[in-house]
Amino acid sequence: MKRLPQPLSILVWVIVAILGAMAFATIALHRGEQISATWLILAALCSYALGYRLYSKFVAAKVLVLDINRATPAERIDDGRDFVPTNKWVVFGHHFAAIAGPGPLVGPVLAAQFGYLPGTLWIIAGAIFGGCVQDFVILLFSVRRDGKSLTAMAREEIGNLGGFIAYLAILTILIILCGAVALIVVNALKSSPWGTFTIGMTIPIALLMGVYLRRIRPGKVIETSLLGFILVVLAVVGGRWIAQSPSLASAFTYTAPTLAILIIVYAFAASVLPVWLLLAPRDYLSTFVKLGTIGVLAIGILVFHPTLHMPAMTQFADGTGPVFAGKVFPFAFITIACGAVSGFHSLISSGTTPKLIRLESETRMVGYGAMMCESMVGIMAMIAACVLQPGVYFAINSPAGVIGRSADVATATLSHWGFPVTAPQMQSLAQAVGEQTLFNRTGGAPAFAVGMAHIFSNSLGGQAVMAVWYHFAIMFEALFILTVLDAGTRVGRFMVQEALGHVWKPLGRTSWYPSVLFSSALLVGAWGYFLWMGVKDPLGGINSLWPLFGICNQLLATVALCVATTIIIKMGRTRYVPVTLVPLAWLVSVTFTAAWRKIFDSNPRLGFLAHAELLSGSSAGPDTARLILNDRIDAAVAGLLVCLVTMILIESILEWSKVLSGSKEKRVKESPFVPSRFALEEEA
Amino acid sequence: MKQIAKALSTLEAIFREIFDESSYSRFLKRQHLSVSRESYAEFLCEQAQDISHRPRCC
């Protein structure tokens, strides 16, 4: 592509900046009337364009000093298996598919309780200065270390303690993540025969895909995934018939506790079955559905430019929100992790992707660019939540323990708060989407599904297909989440087996079935416990689990940024260290404040220990002792994470001061420089 | 027209990489095998560890 002449290029970017500024001014200053989602899209796109063009280029040139002439491990090793020099667009697509998860869909929906503005600003700014930078630098540093993982880099650059803490942080995040996302699925499917039938059908569909791929059409994954997609769509459509049949509907209607047990049993079984039979086909199917749905949602929002009904800021910025307790700072920044800054991405950036990178210069597009796209998905989720009438949004996302158990009490509470909604209105909406009720459907997934159905049904097919769109959205999220459960349980199991192998060697053998069963049971038991806690929590488990997950995820980002900062200092680029140090300092302040509040705040809705004290002072019921124990465990987990990250911060700061004072040699542990032949081809 | 064809070809390559079809092709080339149930079963055995260790993002 020909470059524009410089004066014209400058003019174009000035126009982009002005458009972006206008869009931000509109969304920030607008009060009272509804505004079009187009303004959010414009603000986001202009910001991302400027961030990529200016900030990522600065990071690439000045901080990381990308060297096109240096051969990457994909070029040097090129074993045709793990290390394969790959076209940058293919690597980009592969990396984006790997990092895109349910997080950017759920977090923004929950954070919409503060209004659209705080979450939107964090998604955009957090991504440009935090998440994209983290993904980019970790990817490049892993490329320069022959694809080493984050844990290995932490061990090498910070010390053995750093590596151990990264390992523990990853294991903890896996457990909390699985518990939190499983709770989202439970809340989405409870008392929903249509939804439960559809998701239930994905299991035999995935098994069928596995057998089809292995026995009938070996290697034809895209074809098999398309077949699976068609079957899943038929299941979504067929679910209406199930819901309308009294006998069949009752067979697929489950309470939250029953669904929790079913999901635990499913995840255990899925994690011990051969990979090719269930996990792999399910993974392919959910990737197929995910990429298609994100694309369709993006087109839907751009073409139909829906109107946002949620105000820019709600009164719940003061911390009294019904969806989850806590003020905008720090909880808006904890609730939205994956769309802004996600420590989990550093595992992906130091996993398969660095082994495919052909040229160092391509890490900018893959690392920084893919995270930008993920951030855009977060913006789309924010839009889907905010197209709902606020009263409807809060009726869906607020737990019964906060707004009231009956429809009349709940709607009266919400109307009193200034978000008018009526019981007949909610009943009508529930019928329109093929559900028995939409009250107390916490977790973000049902609200996102209603928003998405609203966007499409207003334009394509009308109310008649709203239910199909709703259940398609539920299916898409639940399918994805169940894959995360399968895969998360397996990855965690390998980590547990690795640790147990130090205690008794046979337990470390990943192919020994007793060890597989034992380790899987341990891990499923761990996250299953958090799931059960959430299901039984009268405040709605999301109030406890999602902030805990956000804290975990961003503490892992803290670990990644500590590693990155250490390497930048050792590279002799200390004057540019604010690039990682500023987001690191921000994340430390956010996560530590959030953890402190969740442990010690005197508001029983917010502080775990305050809630335990309230319960111990009240008249004891059958569940009181268990709820008190749950609160104390949650407090202990939050406290443990903060202690672990404090240790790695101290280790990192000690390392920095040794290097900066000269008492330790400034030396990076990169693979040796080998000239790249691809660079010559690029120049030619 | 050429650019559209190139874009579609790149899109196909992206999907083939995401869905491990390229990975299978590389396996066949490396092992000097052809598409068959047996070769795919061998590929799955080799991939099983990788797929199991691959974290899925939240």
Side-chain angles (χ1 to χ4, degrees):
Chain A
M1 198 188 291
K2 277 189 186 168
R3 284 177 179 270
L4 289 174
Q6 198 179 20
L8 191 56
S9 173
I10 292 171
L11 180 63
V12 164
W13 288 108
V14 166
I15 291 170
V16 168
I18 291 170
L19 275 174
M22 278 171 53
F24 269 113
T26 304
I27 65 175
L29 300 173
H30 195 92
R31 294 290 182 271
E33 293 164 22
Q34 298 149 8
I35 65 166
S36 169
T38 309
W39 290 109
L40 253 74
I41 300 283
L42 196 58
L45 288 176
C46 291
S47 302
Y48 295 145
L50 287 164
Y52 187 80
R53 176 66 181 79
L54 299 173
Y55 193 58
S56 76
K57 194 164 185 183
F58 162 75
V59 172
K62 297 292 185 189
V63 185
L64 303 177
V65 193
L66 298 187
D67 188 354
I68 192 173
N69 296 306
R70 183 192 188 115
T72 62
E75 182 183 347
R76 279 189 292 107
I77 299 169
D78 197 0
D79 61 3
R81 187 174 181 278
D82 296 318
F83 295 88
V84 182
T86 306
N87 174 285
K88 64 183 178 186
W89 290 105
V90 175
V91 185
F92 175 88
H94 184 267
H95 186 70
F96 175 70
I99 63 172
L105 299 173
V106 172
V109 173
L110 298 176
Q113 83 161 353
F114 295 127
Y116 65 73
L117 189 60
T120 299
L121 292 177
W122 168 234
I123 290 170
I124 296 171
I128 289 171
F129 296 108
C132 296
V133 171
Q134 178 210 243
D135 289 17
F136 181 15
V137 302
I138 293 295
L139 175 63
L140 190 270
F141 291 151
S142 182
V143 165
R144 287 190 176 162
R145 285 156 181 77
D146 288 352
K148 282 204 170 101
S149 68
L150 176 70
T151 316
M153 288 195 287
R155 196 163 40 241
E156 272 186 7
E157 303 294 345
I158 298 175
N160 285 331
L161 183 62
F164 174 69
I165 289 170
Y167 171 90
L168 269 186
I170 292 165
L171 190 58
T172 311
I173 193 180
L174 276 173
I175 292 169
I176 305 288
L177 164 67
C178 288
V181 296
L183 181 62
I184 291 168
V185 172
V186 163
N187 284 339
L189 299 183
K190 65 184 179 187
S191 306
S192 174
W194 189 335
T196 306
F197 168 77
T198 307
I199 296 307
M201 285 304 294
T202 62
I203 300 170
I205 289 171
L207 291 169
L208 178 67
M209 283 173 62
V211 172
Y212 182 86
L213 200 44
R214 187 159 171 129
R215 299 266 184 252
I216 301 171
R217 296 279 280 165
K220 296 292 181 188
V221 181
I222 297 174
E223 174 188 307
T224 309
S225 301
L226 187 56
L227 170 72
F229 175 70
I230 292 168
L231 292 174
V232 158
V233 169
L234 289 174
V236 171
V237 173
R240 184 199 288 269
W241 177 70
I242 297 289
Q244 287 172 350
S245 159
S247 54
L248 289 171
S250 62
F252 286 97
T253 304
Y254 299 111
T255 60
T258 307
L259 277 168
I261 293 168
L262 288 173
I263 284 174
I264 288 167
V265 169
Y266 161 76
F268 176 77
S271 71
V272 300
L273 285 174
V275 165
W276 66 267
L277 185 58
L278 190 55
L279 172 61
R282 185 173 206 109
D283 194 14
Y284 295 138
L285 180 62
S286 71
T287 302
F288 193 91
V289 173
K290 166 181 68 176
L291 293 176
T293 305
I294 287 170
V296 163
L297 184 60
I299 291 168
I301 289 172
L302 285 170
V303 170
F304 304 125
H305 40 87
T307 303
L308 304 183
H309 294 101
M310 188 70 80
M313 295 276 293
T314 67
Q315 67 263 41
F316 301 128
D318 63 2
T320 57
V323 181
F324 58 89
K327 294 182 182 180
V328 167
F329 183 87
F331 289 97
F333 310 105
I334 288 296
T335 303
I336 301 175
C338 293
V341 184
S342 170
F344 222 91
H345 289 196
S346 61
L347 303 182
I348 314 284
S349 290
S350 58
T352 308
T353 310
K355 297 167 185 159
L356 303 177
I357 296 284
R358 210 171 132 262
L359 288 167
E360 277 200 3
S361 54
E362 292 169 0
T363 55
R364 179 181 165 216
M365 187 184 111
V366 173
Y368 200 95
M371 177 58 199
M372 271 195 163
C373 294
E374 163 101 329
S375 183
M376 194 65 208
V377 172
I379 292 288
M380 296 196 300
M382 179 63 77
I383 290 170
C386 294
V387 298
L388 301 176
Q389 292 291 341
V392 170
Y393 167 86
F394 285 110
I396 297 172
N397 281 302
S398 303
V402 174
I403 61 169
R405 298 209 173 273
S406 73
D408 290 331
V409 171
T411 51
T413 305
L414 293 169
S415 300
H416 176 71
W417 286 345
F419 304 113
V421 63
T422 63
Q425 183 186 353
M426 287 302 295
Q427 185 56 31
S428 170
L429 181 60
Q431 279 170 359
V433 299
E435 293 284 50
Q436 293 169 6
T437 178
L438 284 173
F439 283 103
N440 188 24
R441 303 297 291 275
T442 59
F448 174 79
V450 173
M452 191 170 140
H454 182 83
I455 290 169
F456 284 109
S457 66
N458 274 350
S459 326
L460 293 170
Q463 295 296 303
V465 292
M466 188 160 174
V468 175
W469 278 119
Y470 171 84
H471 285 282
F472 180 83
I474 291 287
M475 176 277 298
F476 147 66
E477 288 183 279
L479 180 66
F480 204 4
I481 286 170
L482 289 176
T483 308
V484 167
L485 281 178
D486 289 353
T489 304
R490 269 181 205 262
V491 170
R493 183 187 84 213
F494 282 118
M495 295 178 74
V496 167
Q497 283 183 290
E498 190 185 345
L500 290 177
H502 294 296
V503 174
W504 188 40
K505 216 169 172 185
L507 286 176
R509 292 206 304 260
T510 54
S511 54
W512 190 46
Y513 225 60
S515 171
V516 167
L517 293 174
F518 177 68
S519 308
S520 294
L522 266 183
L523 203 57
V524 172
W527 67 251
Y529 179 77
F530 283 98
L531 169 61
W532 192 254
M533 259 206 273
V535 160
K536 290 295 196 178
D537 185 350
L539 292 179
I542 287 296
N543 184 54
S544 306
L545 277 186
W546 195 259
L548 212 50
F549 163 66
I551 291 168
C552 280
N553 196 359
Q554 294 189 338
L555 285 175
L556 186 56
T558 306
V559 172
L561 288 168
C562 279
V563 171
T565 305
T566 308
I567 294 175
I568 289 172
I569 291 173
K570 289 182 178 179
M571 284 167 67
R573 315 296 294 170
T574 310
R575 64 186 285 212
Y576 299 112
V577 87
V579 156
T580 51
L581 201 55
V582 169
L584 171 62
W586 171 257
L587 286 180
V588 167
S589 69
V590 164
T591 52
F592 280 35
T593 308
W596 183 269
R597 295 263 165 85
K598 287 305 291 181
I599 298 170
F600 297 115
D601 199 281
S602 57
N603 177 357
R605 273 199 68 219
L606 183 54
F608 294 130
L609 297 180
H611 188 246
E613 204 178 311
L614 177 74
L615 288 173
S616 56
S618 65
S619 54
D623 292 331
T624 306
R626 182 179 48 74
L627 289 172
I628 292 171
L629 177 64
N630 290 349
D631 282 329
R632 290 185 177 148
I633 288 173
D634 285 343
V637 168
L640 173 69
L641 288 166
V642 167
C643 288
L644 289 177
V645 176
T646 304
M647 284 158 68
I648 205 171
L649 270 172
I650 293 170
E651 282 287 299
S652 302
I653 292 168
L654 286 173
E655 187 74 7
W656 304 341
S657 59
K658 280 183 209 167
V659 172
L660 290 171
S661 67
S663 60
K664 190 167 183 175
E665 193 190 346
K666 222 180 253 184
R667 193 166 58 92
V668 288
K669 297 179 175 119
E670 295 175 351
S671 50
F673 177 90
V674 171
S676 168
R677 68 172 194 278
F678 293 138
L680 295 171
E681 290 168 14
E682 286 281 309
E683 280 166 22
Chain B
M1 205 58 196
K2 261 189 186 173
Q3 283 184 333
I4 294 172
K6 192 177 174 194
L8 286 172
S9 166
T10 303
L11 201 58
E12 189 200 347
I14 291 171
F15 282 117
R16 280 178 50 83
E17 189 64 47
I18 289 171
F19 291 102
D20 290 335
E21 285 195 4
S22 296
S23 205
Y24 180 46
S25 301
R26 290 193 290 266
F27 171 82
L28 293 175
K29 190 177 170 185
R30 208 166 66 240
Q31 304 288 344
H32 308 290
L33 295 168
S34 58
V35 174
S36 68
R37 283 187 211 168
E38 293 73 28
S39 67
Y40 194 63
E42 267 186 63
F43 167 71
L44 288 174
C45 278
E46 190 184 271
Q47 285 288 89
Q49 283 288 317
D50 293 343
I51 291 174
S52 302
H53 280 99
R54 208 183 290 166
R56 301 302 183 287
C57 197
C58 47

